Structure formats: C-alpha cells, structure tokens
C-alpha cells in the first residue's frame, strides 16, 4: 500500500520516547508498505543531538530517505518567533481548541498537503494535534496516540500546586477532551500504546475503534544484555529532563529518595542521565560528589551497564515509559512507581519492584542491594518479557498487517454497499 505518515516531530534520531517510537514504527512499516513522510520539525531535539540545526536536518534527510519515498517538512512557527511559545499559550486561552491543537495550526501545512500528488490509501496521523488536517485528505485515516492527551493534562492539573497553572492545565485538558470527542469519528482506527489508554479513549468517545500498538525497544537495546553487570550501589534514572514528569521524578530522587539511601549506604552513587537537566539538577550534581548529572549523552547503554538498579518514581503523565522498557531490556533491575508502569504487563515482585512512597522506594532499593538472587531473577524475567512482547520488528510487522486488514475491510464494506 501507499501510506502517508504525517508527523508532529521529525522522527530522527531515535533517542527518547516519542522519537524512538515514531522512528522505529516508521522504519518497520516501510519494510512492508511504501511510505512518504510529511513532518513538522521541532527545533529543540535537532539542536540537542547535532552540532547545528542544518547538520541535523541534513543527517535526518539522509537517513529517512533510506526508508521513505518522499520526505517533506516544515518548521514550527512558534519555535522560531521571539517568545513564540509564550504568546501562543496566552492566545490559546481564548481559543476553542487550546494550545495543543493551535501549536500545529499552520496555513503552510495546508498548502503542502494540497500540493502532494500521492494517491494514498492510508494516512497515519502521529498525534491528536494533527487531526485538524484530516478533513483535507482522502484515504483511510489512522490516528496514533502517544498518550491520551486530555487525560495526561487533567492529571497534571490535579497535581499542580500553583493555582494559576492548575487552572491553565485544567482548562487545556477540558478543551482537549472536547476535541478528542469531536474528532474521534474522523478516523477509521485509533492506535494506543496500551489497552489502558484504549479504554481511556473509549470513555471519552464511546465506540471508538482502537488497536493497541505498544511502545517497544530499539534493536540496539534488544541486542544488549547486561544482566548482573552493574553495581547495586549505583542507581540510575534517565530521561529528557525538559519533560515535566521526568523533572519532577528527578527532584523526588534528589530531595527525598537519594538522601535516605546515602545515609544508610556508604559508597553509593547516583546518576541522572539525559538532556536539559536545568540549573537545579546541574547545581546538585556539582555540589554532590556522589551524584553525576550528565546532560545529553550520545549513548545511554554504558550507564545501564554500570548501574545495578534503575529507579523511576514517575507518578504523572501518560502513555507507557520507554525508559522502563529500556532498563528491562538491558537487564537492569527496576524499582518504579505504578504510574511509571501503566500499560505494561509488569507484575510486582516478578518483573520489577513497585513503590509509591519515598519509604517504599528506599525499602525496595535496599531489598535489591541485599539480595543478589532477587536482582538476577527480576532482571532475567524482565528481559524475557521484553523479548517476547516488545520487539519493534514484530510490533511494526503487526501494525503493517493491521493496515492491510483495514484496507481489505474497507474495500469489502464498499462492495457490500454497492458502491
């Protein structure tokens, strides 16, 4: 089939949650169908991972053209305007759809889509923010949900202590929920990262057809197994710290979990690995010899190899946590909040140790420190789970088959109606 992949982020390099999912699904889908890519370009991931914006775009085009017949993109206007995001946030207070939708509203994208000469059988919309372009395009339409955005925003509103921000997130979440309900039937199929997110979607828009297409693990992680190689006195948390859920989790580690661990265990070390740590975490790393704050790293694998325990106290946000899957794939035992494991078939005490409070985290960490057999058992079971259910080649193959079946079903329905 000929497929148009419409994206809110240039799917390269495959580093971090959204980029990792989008890149790998796109690559695997292109092995089974002919795919063209039209994308917005978010500036920050490009300048974070490359020496310059121009170098990043050149490399992205080179790699993506190995998998796509056509690659077209546009910059996001608010990325380049002075105070662009702030002005957009203010303007969105008075818009019907809110920031998440207005963010990608661009006449230039309308013109680009109108200029396409491809006769596409399926259009993959990679996020709800792109749904506004669905009425413009012919073909079967599939909407991918990295999270159920309204649920994530309303959860954030519940937890926010600042009254002004709490109100802002609440009204944004309500606008998103109305938009998700209103646009759900524009699509023949919705994709969710988990069955849980699928049920959340159906609660918003009853009867919405969805298919679980889970997050997976990149091939380079699947080909590495560091079970038992790390020191249990070395703790690791990794993520893009510009994301609020990661930043909040890191602050919980530095302010609550780590002080309790270091008081009980001499020689322990903590690594916080990932881009955008911000001034607080950077200063914390500078002031504490037993803490490493890396900033952006090209290759996260050596940090998993060194660490004996991966801790993930994320208790906010949505979707499924690729960082948890990566740790499991590499054989690093995991201690995580249940929210960090939402949508994953993780069984407490079998694949990981689940913890809610600071005390729970500290107890679970020392349980692993003191029990070598438990660490090995959890790491091996987690690795086996990832191998069986979260390999991107298999996930991509299943998605390709899903689209083929969707086309067959649509063709059959058309014939039955005598069209």
């Amino acid at each position: 089939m000929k497929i148009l992949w419409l994206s809110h982020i240039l799917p390269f390099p495959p580093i971090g949650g959204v980029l990792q999912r989008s890149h790998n699904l796109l690559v695997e889908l292109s092995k089974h169908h002919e795919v063209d890519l039209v994308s917005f370009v978010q500036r920050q991931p490009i300048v974070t991972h490359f020496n310059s914006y121009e170098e990043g775009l050149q490399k992205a085009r080179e790699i993506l053209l190995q998998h796509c017949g056509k690659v077209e993109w546009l910059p996001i206007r608010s990325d380049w305007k002075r105070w662009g995001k702030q002005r957009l946030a203010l303007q969105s207070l008075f818009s019907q759809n809110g920031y998440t939708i207005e963010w990608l509203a661009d006449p230039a994208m309308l013109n680009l889509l109108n200029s396409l000469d491809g006769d596409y059988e399926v259009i993959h919309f990679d996020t709800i923010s792109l749904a506004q372009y669905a009425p413009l395009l012919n073909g079967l339409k599939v909407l991918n949900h990295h999270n159920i955005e309204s649920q994530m925003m309303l959860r954030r509103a519940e937890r926010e202590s600042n009254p002004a921000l709490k109100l802002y997130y609440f009204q944004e979440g309500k606008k998103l929920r109305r938009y998700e309900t209103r646009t759900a039937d524009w699509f023949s199929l919705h994709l969710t990262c988990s069955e849980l997110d699928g049920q959340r979607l159906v609660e918003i828009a009853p009867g919405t057809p969805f298919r679980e297409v889970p997050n997976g693990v990149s091939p380079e992680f699947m080909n590495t197994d560091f079970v038992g190689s790390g020191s249990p006195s070395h703790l690791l948390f990794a993520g893009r710290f510009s994301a609020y859920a990661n930043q909040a989790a890191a602050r919980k580690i530095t302010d609550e979990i780590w002080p309790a661990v270091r008081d009980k265990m001499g020689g322990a070390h903590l690594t916080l690995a990932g881009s955008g740590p911000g001034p607080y975490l950077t200063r914390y790393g500078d002031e504490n010899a037993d803490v490493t704050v890396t900033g952006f790293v090209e290759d996260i694998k050596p940090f998993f190899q060194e660490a004996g325990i991966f801790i993930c106290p994320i208790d906010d946000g949505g979707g499924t946590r690729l960082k948890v899957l990566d740790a499991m794939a590499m054989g690093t035992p995991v201690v995580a909040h249940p929210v960090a494991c939402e949508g994953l078939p993780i069984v407490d005490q079998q694949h990981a140790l689940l913890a809610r409070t600071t005390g729970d985290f500290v107890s679970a960490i020392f349980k692993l420190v003191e029990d070598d057999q438990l660490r090995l058992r959890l790491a091996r079971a987690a690795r086996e789970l990832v191998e069986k259910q979260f390999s991107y080649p298999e996930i991509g193959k299943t998605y390709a088959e899903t689209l083929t079946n969707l086309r067959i079903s649509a063709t059959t329905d058309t014939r039955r109606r005598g069209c």
Side-chain angles (χ1 to χ4, degrees):
M1 291 193 300
K2 193 168 185 180
I3 296 171
L4 175 62
W5 186 291
L6 186 58
S7 180
H8 60 304
I9 187 170
L10 195 62
F12 183 83
I15 300 173
V18 172
L19 284 167
Q20 187 174 322
R21 174 179 172 84
S22 294
H23 178 85
N24 283 288
L25 280 181
L26 176 64
V27 168
E28 296 303 327
L29 185 64
S30 71
K31 296 177 181 177
H32 306 276
H33 299 296
E34 181 183 349
V35 181
D36 287 348
L37 170 68
V38 172
S39 178
F40 281 102
V41 179
Q42 295 184 36
R43 184 174 182 271
Q44 191 58 44
I46 299 294
V47 298
T48 296
H49 297 132
F50 297 95
N51 293 323
S52 70
Y53 183 72
E54 292 71 23
E55 176 192 327
L57 291 183
Q58 181 179 349
K59 185 64 175 179
R61 182 177 293 279
E62 174 188 331
I63 297 300
L64 292 170
L65 282 174
Q66 295 176 15
H67 308 285
C68 301
K70 181 186 299 182
V71 175
E72 303 281 354
W73 59 59
L74 288 172
I76 296 176
R77 292 181 299 172
S78 59
D79 274 3
W80 293 94
K81 291 182 178 180
R82 183 175 177 80
W83 304 106
K85 292 182 179 179
Q86 292 83 353
R87 286 193 291 179
L88 179 60
L90 181 61
Q91 293 166 3
S92 298
L93 285 171
F94 308 99
S95 73
Q96 177 185 7
N97 296 327
Y99 180 94
T100 303
I101 308 305
E102 298 296 338
W103 173 54
L104 297 185
D106 190 339
M109 178 56 77
L110 291 172
N111 293 334
L112 175 55
L113 293 175
N114 276 323
S115 70
L116 295 176
D117 56 6
D119 186 15
Y120 299 105
E121 296 168 89
V122 176
I123 301 96
H124 170 108
F125 295 77
D126 206 39
T127 185
I128 185 68
S129 303
L130 296 164
Q132 59 195 294
Y133 299 106
L136 186 70
L137 298 167
N138 296 319
L140 297 169
K141 297 162 191 174
V142 177
L143 178 59
N144 178 49
H145 299 265
H146 293 270
N147 313 280
I148 304 303
E149 296 292 342
S150 65
Q151 180 267 339
M152 187 173 68
M153 192 64 66
L154 291 170
R155 173 184 272 176
R156 187 174 183 181
E158 288 177 4
R159 306 180 65 84
E160 178 58 57
S161 57
N162 182 299
L165 288 176
K166 188 180 188 71
L167 179 61
Y168 180 85
Y169 296 141
F170 179 77
Q171 61 87 27
E172 177 73 11
K174 287 296 186 181
K175 289 179 181 180
L176 272 171
R177 179 146 297 186
R178 290 193 293 269
Y179 190 83
E180 289 164 346
T181 302
R182 187 168 73 251
T183 61
D185 63 1
W186 294 0
F187 301 91
S188 302
L189 183 66
H190 292 251
L191 309 179
T192 62
C193 294
S194 67
E195 181 71 22
L196 176 60
D197 271 359
Q199 294 305 322
R200 287 168 173 161
L201 180 62
V202 171
E203 289 176 6
I204 295 168
T208 298
F210 76 90
R211 175 70 182 267
E212 179 186 355
V213 177
N215 284 326
V217 175
S218 298
E220 61 267 26
F221 285 89
M222 291 299 298
N223 294 334
T224 308
D225 190 347
F226 297 142
V227 172
S229 66
S231 167
S233 62
H234 191 150
L235 309 184
L236 170 67
F237 176 67
R240 177 174 56 86
F241 292 110
S242 57
Y244 81 93
N246 290 337
Q247 183 73 214
R251 288 293 298 265
K252 185 174 182 64
I253 293 170
T254 58
D255 296 355
E256 301 178 25
I257 298 172
W258 181 242
V261 170
R262 69 171 14 149
D263 285 348
K264 295 183 179 181
M265 183 167 57
H269 194 87
L270 168 68
T271 296
L272 301 174
S275 63
Y280 177 84
L281 293 181
T282 300
R283 185 171 61 253
Y284 190 90
D286 292 340
E287 294 175 352
N288 293 272
D290 54 3
V291 177
T292 299
V293 179
T294 68
F296 171 70
V297 293
E298 286 285 349
D299 187 0
I300 192 66
K301 293 191 292 295
F303 295 93
F304 280 107
Q305 187 174 15
E306 294 172 0
I309 301 172
F310 184 81
I311 54 175
C312 190
I314 290 179
D315 60 357
D316 206 343
T320 57
R321 307 295 173 183
L322 281 158
K323 58 177 63 64
V324 172
L325 286 175
D326 288 344
M328 292 166 63
M330 300 189 74
T332 305
V334 172
V335 180
H337 194 282
V339 170
C341 300
E342 282 184 347
L344 299 173
I346 291 175
V347 178
D348 187 24
Q349 306 292 325
Q350 180 178 338
H351 305 110
L353 299 184
L354 302 185
R356 292 183 179 274
T357 67
T358 297
D360 292 341
F361 269 91
V362 174
S363 296
I365 289 166
F366 278 98
K367 190 174 182 180
L368 290 175
V369 168
E370 296 165 358
D371 192 336
D372 294 344
Q373 293 304 310
L374 176 62
R375 288 202 318 278
L376 287 172
R377 179 172 61 78
L378 290 177
R380 287 169 178 163
R383 168 75 187 195
E384 183 179 359
L385 176 66
V386 173
E387 288 177 338
K388 287 182 177 179
Q389 298 190 35
F390 297 101
S391 165
Y392 265 123
E394 289 302 315
I395 293 170
K397 180 182 177 183
T398 299
Y399 181 37
E401 292 171 349
T402 296
L403 295 185
T404 298
N405 292 334
L406 184 66
R407 182 191 61 178
I408 293 171
S409 177
T411 301
T412 302
D413 288 345
T414 301
R415 289 172 178 168
R416 285 174 178 170
R417 293 195 301 268
C419 300

